[in-house]
Amino acid sequence: MSPSTYSISDLAGEFDVTTRSIRFYEDQKLLFPTRRGQTRIFSGPDRVRLKLILRGKRLGFSLAETRELFELWDESTTGSMKQLELLMTKIQEKKLALEQQLNDIAMLQLELDSAENRCLDAMNELNEEQTGLEQHDLALIRNAK
Amino acid sequence: MSPSTYSISDLAGEFDVTTRSIRFYEDQKLLFPTRRGQTRIFSGPDRVRLKLILRGKRLGFSLAETRELFELWDESTTGSMKQLELLMTKIQEKKLALEQQLNDIAMLQLELDSAENRCLDAMNELNEEQTGLEQHDLALIRNAK
DNA sequence: GAGGAAGTTTACGTAAACGTAAAGCATAAA
DNA sequence: TTTATGCTTTACGTTTACGTAAACTTCCTC
């Protein structure tokens, strides 16, 4: 069974980040470990938040943005009407940004595929001079993937 | 017809970046404008590269990573065999990273949808006290989207 | 009880990606 | 001719997200 509390190096090891980073995230109000004496004790929810922080980073989010998302999530159950409307607006904004990212990724993927094909073509040219392989054969190789 | 050369402020205006940024990108070897006297003259390919730089930023790429992608693309036609193999490796790496990003985005989208629903629920609660709307009605609203 | 490993705070350092003056040329309009 | 506009270089400042070192406790082991 997975434990319900974690040391700082437990988390650092599991997610391959430095303890320095984890302490920094706490300082920035993204994690809220309790203390036993001096040493930090991280909860299950803390662990989840850390995972989300790292996912945010992979998506190019600043820590401030990620914190804002956390707050959105938390306030989504407690706000006043005025608050909630603003919340909805922000959620829509984030969703739009994600759509944009999906487009960006799709285009980049196409370009990488194109570069990959170029690369295969070039390798082909070089190889053909030595092995006498035909275009035909490389088309097979290419489509095999 | 679209022009084939651009001033620095043309591009700054079109893509909503500062001239400072554009000069910085040149300094970092991401753009290569020619000069007429002192002033920079940007070509069509320069304009395309700028667009790609900004797309990279939206995806959380550093300028160094974007430059690496440019180089990948350029070298994809000129390299030696050893070069080309390394190139293929890097292309695969980028493609894997993009797959990861797609996963990350999908999960974030689910969470935003969830937050959105929470938010609608909360607004419902507040509204019901005043208007007497039923759960039933809000389900309709929610599904209408 | 002398390390050694893992935790802590404090604080200065750093790389990336610009922001923000300061000061100077060029050219077109008033 | 002056003034405004737009471009330039040089250079120091700023924010984010940590790295890195120093100096200190705590606990375990030998």
Side-chain angles (χ1 to χ4, degrees), chain B residues 6-83:
Chain B
Y6 310 84
S7 76
I8 194 169
S9 47
D10 285 344
L11 295 183
E14 178 175 1
F15 295 111
D16 195 34
V17 294
T18 64
T19 58
R20 176 68 178 91
S21 295
I22 293 180
R23 292 196 190 95
F24 185 73
Y25 300 152
E26 179 189 8
D27 190 58
Q28 300 298 302
K29 312 297 177 191
L30 287 158
L31 299 175
F32 308 94
T34 58
R35 302 291 177 121
R36 188 183 48 197
Q38 279 231 114
T39 79
R40 279 162 254 254
I41 302 198
F42 294 87
S43 67
D46 278 321
R47 181 176 167 280
V48 170
R49 270 192 296 274
L50 178 53
K51 191 187 294 191
L52 294 177
I53 292 167
L54 300 178
R55 193 186 64 192
K57 294 203 66 183
R58 288 195 300 274
L59 293 176
F61 287 35
S62 71
L63 296 183
E65 282 174 303
T66 297
R67 184 178 49 221
E68 194 189 351
L69 283 179
F70 285 175
E71 290 167 359
L72 285 190
W73 177 263
D74 291 343
E75 293 169 17
S76 72
T77 183
T78 68
S80 74
M81 196 45 137
K82 204 76 181 153
Q83 274 269 347

Side-chain angles (χ1 to χ4, degrees), chain A residues 66-102:
Chain A
T66 297
R67 184 178 50 221
E68 194 189 351
L69 282 179
F70 286 176
E71 290 168 359
L72 285 190
W73 177 264
D74 292 342
E75 292 170 16
S76 72
T77 183
T78 68
S80 73
M81 195 44 136
K82 203 77 180 151
Q83 274 268 348
L84 289 172
E85 283 168 2
L86 191 144
L87 186 54
M88 280 295 276
T89 307
K90 293 201 167 185
I91 291 175
Q92 300 311 320
E93 284 174 16
K94 296 284 178 187
K95 291 178 83 170
L96 274 179
L98 287 188
E99 294 291 336
Q100 173 70 50
Q101 284 211 36
L102 284 180

Side-chain angles (χ1 to χ4, degrees), chain A residues 20-83:
Chain A
R20 176 68 178 92
S21 295
I22 294 179
R23 293 196 190 94
F24 184 74
Y25 300 152
E26 179 189 10
D27 189 59
Q28 299 298 303
K29 313 296 178 192
L30 287 158
L31 298 175
F32 309 93
T34 58
R35 303 287 178 124
R36 189 183 47 198
Q38 278 233 112
T39 78
R40 278 162 253 254
I41 303 197
F42 294 87
S43 67
D46 278 321
R47 180 177 167 281
V48 171
R49 271 191 296 273
L50 178 53
K51 191 188 295 192
L52 295 178
I53 292 168
L54 300 177
R55 194 186 63 191
K57 294 203 67 181
R58 288 195 301 273
L59 293 177
F61 287 34
S62 71
L63 296 182
E65 282 175 303
T66 297
R67 184 178 50 221
E68 194 189 351
L69 282 179
F70 286 176
E71 290 168 359
L72 285 190
W73 177 264
D74 292 342
E75 292 170 16
S76 72
T77 183
T78 68
S80 73
M81 195 44 136
K82 203 77 180 151
Q83 274 268 348

